[in-house]
Amino acid sequence: MSDDATWLSHAVDLASTNVAEGGGPFGAVVVADGVVLARGQNRVTRDLDPTAHAEVVAIRDACRVRGDFSLAGATLYASCEPCPLCVSAALWARVDRVVYAADRHDAARGGFDDREFYELFARDRATWATPVETLDLPTRAHPFEAWLAKSDRVAY
C-alpha cells in the first residue's frame, strides 16, 4: 500500500472511531516528512463549535506542534472531501497537498450536504438566505493602516 493510502486509511479509521464514540463521521491527519504532526476528528457537537471539523482540528494542532501558522511541506489527509471551510483552512495553512477518500456526494448521502455550500458560493450574495453585507464606516481602513505601520508584523 502506498504512503498516501496508508495515511488516508488512518484518517478513515479516525472517522469510524469517532462515530463509535458519538462524534461525526470525519477524520483527518496532517503528515510531513513521513511523520504525523496531528490528527483530528469532528468535534462540532462535542465542543459545540461549528468550526471544529476534523480537518480544522488537525490543522490547529499541527500548527501548535510545528510552532508556526504555516504547514508548508505537509499533506492533509481527510476521510472525506473537505468542505469549503476546511479547504479554506488548508489553503490558509499552506499545506502542500490535500488527499481525501469519500467525496461530497458520499457526504450528502450521509446527511452532510456540503454541496449546498459549494453551490451557495457560486451564487450572487443577494440571493443568500443569510445576508452578508457591508457598512461603510469612515474608520474601516484604520486596522490595515496600523498593520502596515507596524515594523515587526509577521506577513502571512
Side-chain angles (χ1 to χ4, degrees):
M1 187 158 40
S2 73
D3 287 346
D4 281 345
T6 298
W7 296 123
L8 193 54
S9 292
H10 185 56
V12 170
D13 290 345
L14 285 169
S16 295
T17 299
N18 203 45
V19 170
E21 295 172 351
F26 303 97
V29 182
V30 176
V31 177
D33 300 319
V35 176
V36 173
L37 293 177
R39 295 167 178 84
Q41 293 170 299
N42 183 281
R43 299 292 189 218
V44 171
T45 56
R46 187 197 78 176
D47 295 352
L48 306 177
D49 178 354
T51 68
H53 293 199
E55 299 90 334
V56 173
V57 170
I59 287 168
R60 287 175 181 161
D61 287 348
C63 287
R64 279 191 287 274
V65 166
R66 188 174 263 186
D68 196 347
F69 60 84
S70 174
L71 295 176
T75 299
L76 171 65
Y77 294 94
S79 63
C80 186
E81 180 178 5
C83 73
L85 168 75
C86 297
V87 167
S88 297
L91 295 173
W92 277 110
R94 294 166 178 77
V95 298
D96 283 9
R97 299 170 59 222
V98 177
V99 180
Y100 63 88
D103 65 19
R104 65 183 77 172
H105 308 291
D106 296 316
R109 280 192 299 277
F112 299 88
D113 201 354
D114 298 352
R115 292 178 304 186
E116 182 177 326
F117 291 109
Y118 282 102
E119 292 167 6
L120 175 75
F121 293 133
R123 295 194 320 254
D124 185 295
R125 282 189 185 173
T127 67
W128 293 10
T130 302
V132 177
E133 46 198 26
T134 185
L135 179 61
D136 188 15
L137 289 177
T139 58
R140 72 181 182 268
H142 287 181
F144 297 105
E145 292 163 3
W147 172 254
L148 291 172
K150 188 173 172 53
S151 62
D152 63 342
R153 70 182 180 268
V154 176
Y156 64 97

